[in-house]
């Protein structure tokens, strides 16, 4: 077992493990650490604990120091410099007539590198832009293209549910989300209703999927042939969370409907899952 602390570099970022070098640190403490990007300032998100070797990405780097007052002052100065760098970079992009949108600017804590994050529809030849920026800032310049989900995570906003975006408030990482999840949960397959402000399927579709998958094993789907009280019927609708189904009995000329508990019926033949409309899949793929 190895003693570690977990460090975050932004509010909704991933947690990275570092060697605390014997120091006892608390959640919220500022620390200066060395990363692949250089020396960075982060906050303790997981206090001292022991983990197995399989949970550590080797080599485990030690913290440089617990943040001092001077470090916090430097962090604030860097934030002011980032605002200035952002404005300059926007002007340079316009001068070079590049079809790209600048999203964010970051200084490494030691000032050895400036990172510019942008979005664009395709690949961008920004070599001349890098030269121009290097001439202004006299330091290493790195441009990184990000996707629309990362853009939403970085900028933040209010979602259609009225709450701050999950990705910018607490999600440490993006998870795979599919339109099949919306279908399993009985949601409208209208892309405008199941997509977030980034244009991709909403991350929250994934939250309850495991529960729905478990419940769907116990509830016969639409079109299933069932038997109840000696009568045969066809499932016309399901209420998965309640464990209920709506069943049609009788002939097309004389039919009746009943809402029954799924556990009370015998499944004779499972209904086939309805395919997802091609126009819906196409619209989501084009976003």
């Amino acid at each position: 077992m190895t003693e570690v602390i977990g460090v975050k570099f932004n509010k909704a970022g991933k947690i990275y493990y570092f060697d605390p070098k014997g120091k006892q640190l608390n959640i919220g403490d500022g620390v200066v650490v060395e990363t692949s990007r250089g020396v960075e300032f982060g906050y303790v998100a997981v206090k001292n604990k022991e983990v197995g070797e399989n949970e550590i990405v080797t080599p485990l780097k030690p913290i440089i120091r617990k943040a001092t007052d001077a470090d916090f002052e430097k962090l604030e100065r860097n934030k002011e410099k980032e605002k200035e760098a952002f404005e300059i970079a926007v002007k340079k992009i316009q001068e070079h007539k590049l079809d790209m949108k600048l999203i964010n600017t970051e200084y490494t804590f030691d000032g050895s590198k400036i990172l510019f994050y942008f979005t664009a529809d395709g690949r961008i030849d920004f070599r001349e832009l890098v030269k121009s920026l290097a001439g202004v800032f006299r330091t290493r310049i790195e441009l990184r293209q990000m996707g629309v989900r990362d853009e939403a995570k970085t900028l933040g906003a209010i979602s259609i549910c009225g709450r701050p975006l999950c990705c910018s408030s607490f999600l440490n990482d993006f998870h795979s989300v599919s339109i099949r999840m919306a279908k399993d949960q009985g949601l409208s397959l209208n892309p405008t209703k199941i997509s977030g402000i980034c244009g991709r399927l909403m991350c929250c579709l994934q939250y309850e999927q495991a529960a729905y998958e478990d419940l769907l094993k116990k509830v016969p789907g639409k079109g299933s042939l069932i038997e109840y009280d000696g009568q045969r019927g066809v499932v016309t609708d399901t209420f998965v969370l309640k464990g209920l189904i709506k069943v049609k009995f009788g002939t097309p000329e004389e039919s009746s409907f009943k809402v029954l508990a799924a556990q009370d019926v015998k499944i004779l033949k499972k209904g086939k899952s309805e395919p997802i409309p091609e126009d819906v899949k196409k619209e989501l793929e084009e976003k």
Side-chain angles (χ1 to χ4, degrees):
M1 301 292 282
T2 303
E3 185 180 28
V4 300
I5 57 166
V7 177
K8 275 188 177 184
F9 299 102
N10 55 66
K11 182 179 179 181
K14 293 181 180 180
I15 295 176
Y16 298 90
Y17 286 148
F18 289 87
D19 179 357
K21 294 177 64 175
K23 292 183 173 65
Q24 291 297 315
L25 298 164
N26 297 312
I27 294 175
D29 286 346
V31 289
V32 178
V33 298
E34 184 179 354
T35 71
S36 58
R37 296 198 325 179
V39 177
E40 293 285 7
F41 185 104
Y43 290 93
V44 176
V46 178
K47 63 182 182 180
N48 302 61
K49 71 171 187 176
E50 291 191 345
V51 298
E53 297 295 328
N54 60 325
E55 296 183 53
I56 298 173
V57 177
T58 55
L60 181 66
K61 293 186 177 182
I63 64 170
I64 296 175
R65 62 180 176 274
K66 183 178 178 180
T68 62
D69 290 341
D71 290 326
F72 281 102
E73 291 173 5
K74 186 174 183 178
L75 182 66
E76 291 304 313
R77 289 197 300 272
N78 281 350
K79 288 181 180 178
E80 292 301 317
K81 290 164 66 177
E82 286 169 357
K83 295 177 183 177
E84 297 174 6
F86 186 94
E87 294 175 0
I88 292 171
V90 168
K91 292 178 181 178
K92 290 295 182 182
I93 290 172
Q94 293 172 347
E95 289 176 10
H96 288 276
K97 298 179 179 179
L98 295 173
D99 188 16
M100 56 193 287
K101 177 185 176 183
L102 189 65
I103 301 301
N104 193 30
T105 304
E106 285 184 9
Y107 267 83
T108 55
F109 184 68
D110 59 3
S112 62
K113 184 194 299 184
I114 311 176
L115 298 97
F116 296 91
Y117 297 89
F118 70 94
T119 58
D121 290 334
R123 297 188 65 178
I124 301 291
D125 184 355
F126 48 69
R127 287 173 292 183
E128 293 303 317
L129 174 62
V130 171
K131 292 178 183 178
S132 295
L133 293 172
V136 173
F137 298 106
R138 302 293 179 182
T139 189
R140 290 175 60 194
I141 301 295
E142 187 172 323
L143 270 75
R144 293 187 179 180
Q145 186 169 356
M146 59 167 52
V148 290
R149 296 178 86 188
D150 290 301
E151 178 185 359
K153 182 181 181 73
T154 301
L155 296 179
I158 300 298
S159 184
I160 58 174
C161 63
R163 297 177 60 85
L165 296 178
C166 298
C167 60
S168 64
S169 55
F170 66 86
L171 277 185
N172 295 335
D173 204 357
F174 292 114
H175 300 283
S176 176
V177 183
S178 70
I179 194 171
R180 173 60 59 182
M181 294 179 179
K183 191 172 187 302
D184 287 347
Q185 295 171 34
L187 301 176
S188 166
L189 297 186
N190 183 337
T192 61
K193 294 185 178 180
I194 56 176
S195 299
I197 65 168
C198 62
R200 298 291 187 264
L201 289 168
M202 292 188 294
C203 293
C204 56
L205 292 178
Q206 191 264 348
Y207 297 167
E208 298 176 352
Q209 183 60 19
Y212 272 94
E213 288 177 355
D214 184 56
L215 291 170
L216 285 169
K217 295 175 183 177
K218 306 170 185 176
V219 177
K222 292 181 183 179
S224 296
L225 179 64
I226 63 94
E227 183 177 352
Y228 174 76
D229 197 24
Q231 289 183 295
R232 290 190 174 190
V234 177
V235 178
T236 59
D237 205 352
T238 61
F239 310 95
V240 179
L241 295 180
K242 293 182 178 181
L244 301 176
I245 55 175
K246 186 176 182 180
V247 183
K248 179 182 179 181
F249 294 98
T251 63
E253 294 77 18
E254 294 185 16
S255 59
S256 62
F257 294 86
K258 289 184 180 180
V259 175
L260 306 170
Q263 63 184 14
D264 294 338
V265 305
K266 180 180 179 181
I267 303 173
L268 302 177
K269 183 179 179 181
K270 290 186 177 181
K272 292 184 178 180
S273 178
E274 297 177 6
I276 297 170
E278 289 298 323
D279 58 331
V280 173
K281 288 197 291 185
K282 184 177 180 181
E283 185 172 347
L284 289 168
E285 289 170 356
E286 288 176 349
K287 288 188 175 183

